[in-house]
Each structure stands twice: as structure tokens, then as C-alpha cells.
Amino acid sequence: LEDQVDKLNGDLSTFRKEAMDEVRKPKEPIIVQAPAPVQATPTHDIVLGSIERVTIDSIKQTFDARVDTGAATSSLNAVDIEEFERNGKNWVRFHLADNTKSEEEKDIWIEAPIIRYVKIRQATNEELERRAVVELWVHVGKIHEKAQFTLADRSQMNHPVLLGREFIRDIAVVDVSKKYLHTSVSEKE
């Protein structure tokens, strides 16, 4: 009987050890396949063309703007950029250059607080360029939004304003085959 009790105690000890090992062993995770995201076609009511007329509220002037979904941020053709301090904050003053404007319109300055700075690398140049970013209210058709613009010399470009995808995100879609969808005939001339 003692031999049987010793054998049972040994079996019990082995069983307890195996049970404890099983409890301590990490369980295999249950993998559940996530459903594929549904790619819904945007149903925005507003469609922009590749070029639209944009009005800058602070100076009440209208410019041609290139709508570019490849550019993250929007950009202005700023010339004569002067940074200064106002009430302890960094501000900037500049002209918005457009070859079609009269001399009187070219003398209008835009002043705005600097939101931040960005470093831009041009495709044609290896060096980083530091640009100020300002926030301005703009009108494009039915859209009246505050947009962030980098200040850059865009004089070599055809349009003084570039609207990037941060501006149009969740607001509109772009049909690059069209132009001036939100511009009346009189405004185009």
C-alpha cells in the first residue's frame, strides 16, 4: 500500500507541475480578420476645377489659384516679405504678387501673425528653404474657410495662389479636367 501511495503522490506531483506549466504558458492569441475598409466614393456637393478664382478676405482681392492635390499645404506668391514683432508675437507683412494687378493694387500689404515655420525642399534644389506660414480667410465659390499658406516666391509659376489638399480635405473633390467651376463669366475676364 505504501508503494501505491508513493506512486500516486509522484503522479499527483507530476500532474500539479504540468497543470502549473499549462497555466503559466501564454495562450495563443485569437486572430480575427478585420473587415476590409470600405472605399466609399466621396459624395461632396462641391467640386473644384484645377484652376479656380480665390478671394483673400483681408485685402478683398481675387486671384487665380491652382488646385493641387499633390501639395499638402497651400502657398501664396509673397514678395517683399518683412518679419516684425507685434505684442510679443512674430508677424509678417508682404505683397501678394500677381502680374495682372494694377499699380494701386500692388501697393496693398497683407499683415498676419506667423503660425509656424516649415522647411521645404524643392524638386529642383537640394537645399531646405525655411518658410513662414500664415492663416488667412479665403472664398472659393461656396467655400469660405480659414486656410494656412506658406509664403513663397511663386513668380515663376502661372498662378499666384496654390490650394493644397489640407484646404480642400473634407470640403470638396477636384475634377482636374475642368477649370473655373465656381467663377462667373464676368469674373474670368
Side-chain angles (χ1 to χ4, degrees):
L1 254 131
E2 284 180 6
D3 288 343
Q4 287 179 343
V5 169
D6 287 341
K7 184 178 179 317
L8 286 174
N9 279 335
D11 290 346
L12 183 59
S13 177
T14 303
F15 175 74
R16 283 186 181 150
K17 184 177 179 204
E18 287 175 358
M20 290 305 289
D21 288 345
E22 192 65 33
V23 169
R24 287 187 195 129
K25 185 165 102 178
K27 296 189 176 177
E28 291 293 320
I30 299 172
I31 300 173
V32 177
Q33 187 71 23
V38 177
Q39 292 292 346
T41 304
T43 58
H44 298 299
D45 292 335
I46 301 173
V47 178
L48 297 176
S50 62
I51 300 171
E52 292 291 349
R53 297 290 286 167
V54 175
T55 303
I56 307 291
D57 282 10
S58 58
I59 58 173
K60 308 265 189 287
Q61 288 184 356
T62 303
F63 302 89
D64 277 350
R66 171 94 167 95
V67 181
D68 187 355
T69 59
T73 55
S74 299
S75 182
L76 295 174
N77 184 20
V79 294
D80 305 326
I81 299 172
E82 298 175 11
E83 291 188 25
F84 63 98
E85 187 176 307
R86 180 178 287 164
N87 298 329
K89 306 267 187 200
N90 290 331
W91 280 60
V92 68
R93 141 184 336 118
F94 59 94
H95 288 110
L96 185 53
D98 183 4
N99 296 336
T100 64
K101 296 298 175 194
S102 69
E103 287 303 316
E104 183 179 294
E105 290 173 317
K106 288 180 180 178
D107 288 337
I108 298 175
W109 288 88
I110 298 175
E111 290 185 350
I114 296 173
I115 304 297
R116 60 190 163 95
Y117 289 93
V118 293
K119 290 186 178 177
I120 305 289
R121 176 175 286 130
Q122 293 288 340
T124 59
N125 193 348
E126 285 296 314
E127 293 181 26
L128 288 175
E129 183 182 347
R130 183 175 181 247
R131 295 183 187 169
V133 177
V134 297
E135 211 167 45
L136 300 172
W137 281 95
V138 294
H139 271 284
V140 181
K142 298 178 194 173
I143 303 170
H144 185 223
E145 291 286 328
K146 195 180 266 190
Q148 290 189 1
F149 293 93
T150 60
L151 302 181
D153 180 1
R154 294 181 47 81
S155 56
Q156 76 284 3
M157 304 295 185
N158 294 334
H159 308 287
V161 179
L162 178 129
L163 292 177
R165 65 180 173 268
E166 288 178 2
F167 174 74
I168 56 178
R169 178 182 298 142
D170 299 331
I171 298 175
V173 293
V174 180
D175 183 347
V176 296
S177 68
K178 306 261 192 304
K179 294 180 181 179
Y180 301 109
L181 294 176
H182 298 274
T183 308
S184 67
V185 174
S186 63
E187 283 183 282
K188 290 180 194 177
E189 298 167 357

